[in-house]
Amino acid sequence: MQKPARYTGGEIGSVSKEAADTHICFCFPDTYEIGMSHLGLQVLYGVANEMPGVWCERAFAPWPDMEKELQDGGIHLPSLESGRALKDFDLLAFTLQYELCYTNVLNMLNLGGVPLRREERGENAPIVIAGGPCAMNPAPMSDFIDAFAIGDGEEVFAEILKIVQSTCRGGHWPPACSQTTRRGGLLQQLSQIPGVYVPAYPRDVTKCTVKNLDTAYYPVNPPIPNTEVVHDRVMLELFRGCIRGCRFCQAGYATRPVRVRSAETLAKQGREALAFSGCEEIALTSLSTSDFLELDKLCGELLDYCEPRRISLSLPSLRADSFSRDLLQKVQKTRKSGLTFAPEAGTARLRDVINKNLTEEALLNACKLAFEGGWSSVKLYFMLGLPTETDEDILGIAKLAEKVWFTWRETAPDRSRGVRITVSASGFVPKPHTPFQWAAQDSYEELTRKQELLKKSLRKQITFNYHDAKTSVLECVLARGDKELGRAIETAYRSGCRMDAWREFFDFEKWLDALGKHNLSIDRYTAASNPQTPAAWGNISTGVDVDFLRNEYQKALDGTSTPDCRTQCSGCGVKC
């Protein structure tokens, strides 16, 4: 196998329990390197293993070389900690972080000896639950998942485990239950938990919200990866939610309201996690890090610890209009990583449409401060195919990037090192629970044309990265899918689709064939829809009023922006 360390387990910080009566497995439907970089895995792994009698283990999607070895050897996919086959757990918990991982979920179930469809699972099969951002639309995967945890996972996951633990001990269901009602009885109990959606007992569900992050669980001693992972660093979550209201951003709406950790709590957690892990980098994470009001104070406290130990402090998700010289000076005390800004659109008009509320002047001023401070690498993130977009907006991306390059030429104290300016463009994907959930998505032919237009318009000194247009289209199909799409997902999987998020395995033609076999079309899911028509995810609520989303969609079409929540309450319906 290419990377055997993916499968060995035994990491420092991994948990082993001898006296456990309830066995669960946290299943991440992508590789070890991706999953071990995910803070949510570390949180839920810790929450579960703090519960007496519960042993939470881990499993990751195997690379095709390992998949072949398992199949050739007649071995079921095992957990890392004990080597227990997935079929022998009481509960399997999947996280749905990205729509293109859906076939990996089916593959892990199949390799683990678990029937794919929930109605085909016998009394002794594990309960299969799923959470994460994609669970906000459970319809496409509702044939395969027994229960969905909607919203913040810490508290609802613990409630689920309490019921599973009280109902099922060591894989044995209570003898008082009849053969026909044991599994159904457990699922019925789960359906009564706020924030849990059970397809067998459908009802309207409002997401679960953790109200106090200072008292919420944070993993200061998670498993330390055995091999290099995507993000080999400590991640400190400053807050959840976002004040900004960008109309394309599912996370910004689905995680409202904003809930903040204190600088004191964060500094303590950061020091403890760094001391345990030995990581050489700590990242302050959120949807908009520079909106954290105590950022200067927190950076100062962390740098007192990090600077003498040569630990770098990184600030992803900075907004250009909140970028200051003082913040720059703090960050550059440790290693200089590249800075990333996300204008999202190339013109002021289109930024008003998406409610980005970012001016060109603010972006160029932030770049000026960075170049004056010695930075020589800036990444600019944009989207192509946004509602009302024209070719002029696309050319505006090239003009804006060119102005950033000229800003470097005019302000950098030392130009001998050169500069790396990268423009990254992803295809717009309309997501559920956003004002753009009713908007059309461009066809992959149109997205490809726009990519070529932008590529030809950029200066040769600027690097251009872009996502495959067909991947963006499939992401939209899966994101806005209905229950009927589940049949096509299974057909695509059985035709060989898996690891769809990896370029070397993605096969768009197989997906088109799978859709066609069930008389489903791409346009069914990518076309604009009527805001008054019930959506496939209409039974799931984030707390944001649908009428508010409709109003924001109309304001987008009118080119009108909405102030951020800190400036003015927009009356979205969430109780802040």
Side-chain angles (χ1 to χ4, degrees):
M1 286 159 280
Q2 290 180 16
K3 297 181 179 180
R6 288 170 167 163
Y7 313 105
T8 56
E11 307 100 325
I12 293 172
S14 61
V15 176
S16 178
K17 290 187 178 181
E18 293 183 3
D21 53 40
T22 304
H23 297 267
I24 68 174
C25 189
F26 191 99
C27 301
F28 196 93
D30 210 321
T31 64
Y32 179 90
E33 297 95 305
I34 304 291
M36 288 298 289
S37 302
H38 181 53
L39 180 59
L41 179 151
Q42 299 173 13
V43 169
L44 296 182
Y45 184 80
V47 166
N49 280 317
E50 282 200 342
M51 297 178 66
V54 174
W55 185 9
C56 180
E57 306 183 42
R58 294 162 296 145
F60 300 88
W63 201 248
D65 53 2
M66 171 57 103
E67 179 181 339
K68 183 176 186 302
E69 292 295 326
L70 291 173
Q71 291 173 329
D72 289 349
I75 302 169
H76 287 119
L77 180 65
S79 66
L80 288 190
E81 279 78 1
S82 69
R84 182 190 297 260
L86 295 193
K87 69 181 181 65
D88 294 326
F89 281 88
D90 300 315
L91 181 140
L92 304 177
F94 284 88
T95 179
L96 305 178
Q97 292 294 313
Y98 184 37
E99 291 85 355
L100 268 66
C101 288
Y102 286 173
T103 54
N104 284 358
V105 173
L106 302 192
N107 196 37
M108 291 180 73
L109 290 173
N110 189 40
L111 291 173
V114 181
L116 296 188
R117 292 184 163 266
R118 53 185 173 80
E119 67 266 20
E120 296 173 356
R121 294 175 193 142
E123 293 300 316
N124 292 320
I127 298 295
V128 180
I129 69 171
C134 297
M136 289 292 178
N137 177 15
M141 292 293 284
S142 61
D143 286 339
F144 317 110
I145 304 298
D146 293 312
F148 293 86
I150 311 296
D152 293 334
E154 295 97 324
E155 294 175 1
V156 70
F157 192 43
E159 289 300 310
I160 290 171
L161 296 184
K162 288 176 185 176
I163 288 179
V164 172
Q165 188 175 26
S166 65
T167 307
C168 167
R169 299 275 177 173
H172 300 288
W173 302 83
C177 295
S178 69
Q179 183 71 19
T180 57
T181 63
R182 291 183 297 183
R183 184 181 183 85
L186 174 55
L187 291 174
Q188 192 170 25
Q189 288 186 67
L190 294 181
S191 73
Q192 302 306 308
I193 301 175
V196 175
Y197 172 67
V198 177
Y201 299 94
R203 64 183 179 90
D204 292 346
V205 172
T206 299
K207 71 168 187 191
C208 185
T209 301
V210 172
K211 295 180 180 178
N212 189 340
L213 290 188
D214 272 339
T215 58
Y217 178 86
Y218 174 79
V220 296
N221 55 349
I224 307 303
N226 280 336
T227 185
E228 185 178 1
V229 295
V230 173
H231 296 304
D232 188 11
R233 62 194 185 188
V234 167
M235 289 174 285
L236 271 185
E237 183 191 31
L238 305 184
F239 59 89
R240 288 182 200 169
C242 185
I243 65 171
R244 297 293 174 172
C246 297
R247 291 169 178 142
F248 57 83
C249 182
Q250 184 186 56
Y253 284 93
T255 59
R256 289 187 177 199
V258 173
R259 289 140 296 146
V260 182
R261 281 189 170 96
S262 67
E264 291 80 9
T265 298
L266 288 163
K268 179 177 182 293
Q269 291 173 343
R271 289 190 295 265
E272 291 178 1
L274 286 168
F276 178 81
S277 68
C279 286
E280 297 177 344
E281 180 183 356
I282 183 169
L284 308 185
T285 65
S286 71
L287 291 175
S288 180
T289 299
S290 46
D291 284 329
F292 182 60
L293 294 178
E294 294 187 292
L295 187 58
D296 283 348
K297 176 183 177 181
L298 176 61
C299 287
E301 292 191 26
L302 287 175
L303 285 169
D304 288 342
Y305 181 90
C306 294
E307 197 173 356
R309 295 168 176 81
R310 303 183 64 82
I311 297 170
S312 66
L313 175 66
S314 63
L315 303 174
S317 304
L318 288 174
R319 276 186 64 96
D321 54 1
S322 304
F323 192 70
S324 68
R325 192 179 300 275
D326 288 343
L327 183 59
L328 184 75
Q329 290 172 345
K330 283 185 171 67
V331 175
Q332 69 181 359
K333 287 185 178 181
T334 55
R335 292 196 305 263
K336 286 190 180 73
S337 55
L339 289 173
T340 299
F341 299 113
E344 309 293 0
T347 62
R349 182 200 71 82
L350 194 54
R351 286 194 292 275
D352 283 344
V353 168
I354 65 176
N355 206 45
K356 187 65 183 180
N357 287 326
L358 175 69
T359 65
E360 180 180 296
E361 179 184 12
L363 174 65
L364 296 179
N365 183 60
C367 292
K368 176 177 177 290
L369 291 175
F371 295 140
E372 287 176 345
W375 261 261
S376 59
S377 176
V378 172
K379 293 182 180 179
L380 304 172
Y381 280 112
F382 297 91
M383 280 187 285
L384 296 176
L386 288 163
T388 80
E389 181 184 72
T390 66
D391 284 1
E392 183 179 350
D393 297 308
I394 296 169
L395 297 176
I397 296 175
K399 293 176 183 176
L400 189 56
E402 184 177 55
K403 289 179 181 179
V404 172
W405 185 81
F406 275 113
T407 299
W408 168 78
R409 281 196 59 184
E410 295 166 0
T411 60
D414 178 13
R415 298 204 304 270
S416 62
R417 294 172 54 200
V419 67
R420 182 176 178 84
I421 297 171
T422 302
V423 168
S424 292
S426 61
F428 163 68
V429 177
K431 291 292 181 87
H433 304 291
T434 70
F436 286 160
Q437 66 180 12
W438 300 285
Q441 185 192 43
D442 282 345
S443 67
Y444 65 83
E445 293 91 351
E446 179 65 0
L447 284 173
T448 301
R449 184 192 71 81
K450 291 180 176 180
Q451 289 170 346
E452 289 300 314
L453 175 61
L454 179 54
K455 184 178 180 180
K456 292 176 182 177
S457 305
L458 289 168
R459 293 180 67 92
K460 64 180 180 180
Q461 296 94 336
I462 296 172
T463 303
F464 181 43
N465 296 327
Y466 55 92
H467 293 186
D468 177 63
K470 293 178 179 178
T471 300
S472 297
V473 170
L474 181 60
E475 183 181 343
C476 178
V477 170
L478 296 172
R480 298 204 294 192
D482 48 25
K483 191 176 184 299
E484 292 182 48
L485 188 63
R487 295 175 296 158
I489 294 172
E490 182 176 355
T491 298
Y493 163 66
R494 295 195 183 280
S495 71
C497 291
R498 71 251 295 119
M499 293 290 178
D500 296 302
W502 294 78
R503 185 179 304 171
E504 57 265 49
F505 301 116
F506 180 65
D507 192 329
F508 192 57
E509 295 304 317
K510 285 183 178 178
W511 276 100
L512 289 178
D513 289 343
L515 290 166
K517 287 179 180 177
H518 298 284
N519 297 315
L520 301 173
S521 67
I522 292 286
D523 290 345
R524 175 184 176 123
Y525 303 105
T526 60
S529 59
N530 187 333
Q532 301 304 322
T533 302
W537 52 91
N539 60 320
I540 305 298
S541 173
T542 64
V544 176
D545 289 339
V546 177
D547 284 341
F548 172 80
L549 297 179
R550 292 190 185 104
N551 186 52
E552 282 294 296
Y553 184 37
Q554 185 58 53
K555 290 177 72 174
L557 299 179
D558 296 338
T560 306
S561 62
T562 298
D564 67 72
C565 299
R566 197 171 283 162
T567 301
Q568 175 185 315
C569 176
S570 56
C572 70
V574 172
K575 297 178 181 178
C576 295

